[in-house]
Amino acid sequence: MTPARQQDGAALPAIVPVFPLSGVLLLPRGELPLHIFEPRYRAMTAAALEGDGMIAMAQPSGEPASDPDNPPLFRVACLGRIAEARQTEDGRYYITLSGVSRLRIGAELPLRDGYRRVMADYDEFGGDLAEDRATVLDRERLLDALKHYLGAKGMAADWQSVDAVRNEPLVNALSMLCPFAPSEKQALLEAPDLAERSRLLTTLLEMGAVAAEAPAGPGGQARH
């Protein structure tokens, strides 16, 4: 396997540390703020800062785990570069990861200072390295779904700012920010292209709006 290349010509790392976090999504060119406090992930962050600055975000798959501290992971994750980092006096970190490329997790390596490392395969995701500005989306339906979703949840948005955002940053930011279930987040991550991610995102927003507007049944349960 030939490692994928970044736009600056540097090879993406073949071995990456993994931060497993359920319900958290990182996508290429997205920015993810993180508070790192667990000792093994503080060690991971310190090592990344001393090295290439790369960390992969992955979600636990929910499959039975022989080691509850290191559960099985979904096989597709996203590599991020530490764009900002601040360490507190007690050793915690506040960092911002900037998404670089999705990857497929291969073999897992022995733990290092308690954190996990995997072999990374980028072959499926060469298109992640540059923003998709060519794909035409059903933006009207997406924004209509977003308006209904936010309205059903009693939230508002600066629509002038939303309208000014290009397609890929808009779809990826909404995919990362909206409080979807972990399996839904994973489906958004694994969508093969921007068009499919936008269609899935629109559907999730439409379903979320319907669920939020559904009358509550006995015990506060929404009726379907």
Side-chain angles (χ1 to χ4, degrees):
M1 179 192 73
T2 302
R5 311 295 292 188
Q6 295 182 40
Q7 287 181 311
D8 62 7
L12 298 180
I15 298 174
V16 296
V18 177
F19 189 10
L21 204 55
S22 182
V24 175
L25 175 61
L26 177 65
L27 289 166
R29 287 164 295 284
E31 293 196 345
L32 178 65
L34 293 167
H35 175 205
I36 311 295
F37 55 87
E38 191 174 339
R40 58 176 169 170
Y41 298 122
R42 286 158 50 178
M44 175 191 71
T45 302
L49 289 169
E50 292 173 0
D52 59 13
M54 300 290 197
I55 294 172
M57 296 299 301
Q59 289 197 105
S61 66
E63 298 174 8
S66 57
D67 179 0
D69 289 332
N70 296 290
L73 303 172
F74 283 113
R75 306 315 294 175
V76 176
C78 186
L79 184 70
R81 179 189 290 107
I82 299 175
E84 297 180 9
R86 176 174 65 87
Q87 187 174 20
T88 65
E89 291 184 358
D90 61 2
R92 293 175 292 122
Y93 288 93
Y94 289 90
I95 68 173
T96 298
L97 279 186
S98 179
V100 175
S101 173
R102 290 173 294 170
L103 59 92
R104 185 166 292 277
I105 292 175
E108 186 156 351
L109 304 177
L111 297 177
R112 173 175 290 176
D113 294 330
Y115 65 87
R116 302 168 73 173
R117 299 173 301 142
V118 300
M119 299 297 297
D121 185 343
Y122 307 94
D123 288 350
E124 300 171 56
F125 309 112
D128 285 0
L129 299 179
E131 181 181 338
D132 182 345
R133 299 198 181 200
T135 298
V136 177
L137 307 179
D138 189 346
R139 189 176 173 110
E140 182 178 356
R141 182 183 167 194
L142 172 60
L143 293 180
D144 186 59
L146 178 60
K147 289 174 183 176
H148 281 90
Y149 179 84
L150 294 179
K153 292 182 173 292
M155 303 167 66
D158 179 351
W159 294 108
Q160 186 174 357
S161 297
V162 171
D163 288 339
V165 179
R166 298 186 306 278
N167 283 344
E168 188 199 80
L170 177 64
V171 169
N172 286 359
L174 291 175
S175 297
M176 290 174 59
L177 291 171
C178 289
F180 300 130
S183 60
E184 295 167 338
K185 292 275 191 179
Q186 190 66 27
L188 288 164
L189 175 67
E190 296 188 20
D193 52 37
L194 180 62
E196 183 59 32
R197 181 173 299 132
S198 179
R199 284 192 288 268
L200 177 57
L201 172 63
T202 299
T203 299
L204 292 174
L205 290 170
E206 291 171 342
M207 292 171 57
V210 170
E213 292 172 340
Q221 295 292 325
R223 293 184 298 184
H224 298 278

